Amino acid sequence: MTTTSSASVTSGRGDAPDPSPSQGRRRPHFPSAFTVLVAVTLAVWALTFVIPAGRYDTKDGSPVAGTYHPVELTTGFWGRLKDLFLAPVNGLYGVTDPQSGLTAPGGEGAFFGAAGVFLFVLAVGAFVTVTLRTGALTSGVARLAERLRRHRTVLLVVLLFVFSLGGTTYGMAEETLGFYALMIPLMLKLGYDRMTGATVIMVGAGVGTLASTVNPFATGVASDSAGIGTGDGIVLRLLMWAVLTALAAAYLVRYAERVHKDPSRSLVAPLPEDDELRSHGSDAEPLTARQRIVLGVFAATFLFMIFAVIPWADLHVTFLPTLGWYFPELAALFIVAAIVVGLVAGLGEKGTADAIVAGAGDFVGAAMIIMLARGVTVLMNNASITDTILNGLHQVVSGTSSAFFAVLMFLVNIPLAFLVPSSSGHAALAMPVLAPLADFAGVSRALVVTAYQSASGWVNLITPTSAVVMGGLALAKVRYDRYLRFMAPLMALLLAAVAAFLALGTLLG
């Protein structure tokens, strides 16, 4: 796979430029996640002078309903201006003083910054990039497609499942761009169309990200911001992933088989080069022994991560130890795994080191977005307006049923997902305010995390601000309006299914 696919961060991780800008003139475009977060930072700072300060009493770190009370803020204008200036720094390694409750760099108290998440994102970036440079992932998918090409329906389902697995485990996004050159000719050879080739990748990875189980850029960051473990709520998310992936596969197979029987029912017009692509040979090269080992290490690393974060004791699974790993241990896991993959693949000391550094650099944009979003939270906390906003939201949702509350959290996050297309930035920005609402509604914070990531994933399936969507369609040569027409019924199905699962989640506790 080409390394350009991981050279920038998009939907699940940040922003990337449109890979196919119009010639001759610059088109208006939606601001990047960085620009949006800077604007949000300035707006929140201005609101600290308008929104009254207040706090809840807390018990075990959670706000106690009915205890909200106004407080007098002692920080003057210059102190607040300093908070604005230091917001990004505080977002990375700010420390909260237990006496004053103020967060600032250095000092003693509870660590509040996102340094742990920051390093973890860089470690995942290093691991993914090293694996991509070995070519094992691309060769593995190509080999799988070659073996199943005579069973076209099975092939569609398996490929969508593979991309969905990438989405649910590590938020597969821009990495998908390297697969279009493989999938489009293959689908044309099987008698399908370009829409099938594009959507088996895009919908597969997108639905997987929507139903993230341990995706570090969605579930991980949101769980950290909500003050819970990544493994909390994983049973519901696993069930969601299995059902929504099956739903997407059934929808795609239905469309693809309809096109196979009657090409005139295709949503995309055939291109002159399609006949040549259909006749062009595309036999996959056999996987080398090293590539097989790399794929094994790649899969084993994510499987072990899942094992390490799941609270087995809480699930009453007594024969498995609960490791309780968090971002420090997971960051170390991915760094070590990146080194192992590089050496096993024969990249050598220099090649492995270069790939690790390049991977960390590719993902630093996502890490900085998390830092900026956490800085906004520091501004709100230092001005004591977080609890005031939380109290206002509590008044709105007070008296609603748990099921309605869960669905409402999903709907509230949809416009936020459009405004902040980075799932990491969205999580770090919204969770500190929305997660405590779960305490008042009598549902788990993990359910709010699931509602957030479902909304983020749902929006990022079609948002025109995503370079994963627009870049993928450009590579597949599929018009955006045609793609929207294909997606409209599926989006409605996914919306209804997510709402049903969130309501079910309130019953499961």
Side-chain angles (χ1 to χ4, degrees), residues 268-281:
V268 292
L271 298 179
E273 64 265 31
D274 286 358
D275 288 338
E276 181 181 351
L277 288 175
R278 287 190 181 96
S279 60
H280 184 68

Side-chain angles (χ1 to χ4, degrees), residues 240-295:
M240 279 185 65
W241 174 71
V243 173
L244 296 187
T245 300
L247 177 66
Y251 182 84
L252 177 60
V253 167
R254 180 175 178 269
Y255 170 82
E257 289 303 313
R258 188 173 61 199
V259 170
H260 188 271
K261 292 177 181 177
D262 183 2
S264 66
R265 301 187 70 179
S266 171
L267 291 176
V268 292
L271 298 179
E273 64 265 31
D274 286 358
D275 288 338
E276 181 181 351
L277 288 175
R278 287 190 181 96
S279 60
H280 184 68
S282 60
D283 291 342
E285 293 292 331
L287 285 169
T288 66
R290 284 184 170 181
Q291 287 177 329
R292 292 178 187 275
I293 297 173
V294 166
L295 289 176

Side-chain angles (χ1 to χ4, degrees), residues 7-190:
S8 56
V9 284
T10 63
S11 62
R13 301 166 195 171
D15 291 285
D18 187 338
S20 57
S22 59
Q23 300 295 323
R25 62 185 179 89
R26 301 182 66 179
R27 295 182 298 176
H29 63 279
F30 193 82
S32 70
F34 288 102
T35 304
V36 170
L37 284 174
V38 169
V40 169
T41 300
L42 294 172
V44 167
W45 182 75
L47 287 173
T48 63
F49 294 92
V50 179
I51 299 175
R55 286 183 186 150
Y56 280 100
D57 295 337
T58 59
K59 182 179 180 181
D60 298 327
S62 298
V64 179
T67 64
Y68 175 80
H69 56 278
V71 297
E72 184 178 351
L73 191 65
T74 58
T75 308
F77 175 81
W78 294 110
R80 296 195 198 186
L81 187 61
K82 183 179 179 181
D83 278 345
L84 175 63
F85 179 67
L86 291 175
V89 178
N90 273 323
L92 183 62
Y93 61 89
V95 175
T96 302
D97 184 273
Q99 302 300 322
S100 66
L102 298 178
T103 301
E108 298 181 357
F111 189 79
F112 188 84
V117 187
F118 191 97
L119 178 60
F120 174 62
V121 168
L122 300 187
V124 174
F127 175 66
V128 170
T129 299
V130 171
T131 306
L132 290 174
R133 288 199 177 183
T134 68
L137 281 177
T138 306
S139 297
V141 172
R143 189 65 179 165
L144 178 66
E146 181 66 24
R147 286 189 174 186
L148 294 176
R149 62 185 301 174
R150 288 188 173 88
H151 307 279
R152 62 175 189 270
T153 301
V154 175
L155 176 62
L156 279 179
V157 173
V158 171
L159 287 176
L160 189 138
F161 171 83
V162 168
F163 287 115
S164 180
L165 190 62
T168 195
T169 52
Y170 72 96
M172 190 179 198
E174 63 276 353
E175 295 87 0
T176 60
L177 298 179
F179 286 95
Y180 286 89
L182 168 68
M183 287 298 144
I184 298 301
L186 176 61
M187 292 301 139
L188 290 174
K189 277 178 172 291
L190 294 175

Side-chain angles (χ1 to χ4, degrees), residues 367-451:
M368 290 184 66
I369 284 172
I370 296 168
M371 176 189 74
L372 288 172
R374 185 65 62 89
V376 175
T377 304
V378 172
L379 282 177
M380 296 170 63
N381 289 347
N382 280 0
S384 296
I385 66 170
T386 302
D387 284 2
T388 303
I389 296 172
L390 179 58
N391 182 59
L393 291 173
H394 179 220
Q395 301 303 319
V396 173
V397 302
S398 180
T400 62
S401 67
S402 298
F404 180 79
F405 170 81
V407 175
L408 184 63
M409 288 297 98
F410 171 61
L411 297 177
V412 163
N413 276 288
I414 287 177
L416 288 176
F418 181 80
L419 291 172
V420 186
S422 160
S423 61
S424 305
H426 178 183
L429 189 65
M431 284 301 102
V433 175
L434 297 181
L437 281 175
D439 303 333
F440 299 153
V443 302
S444 69
R445 292 190 175 197
L447 197 62
V448 177
V449 170
T450 302

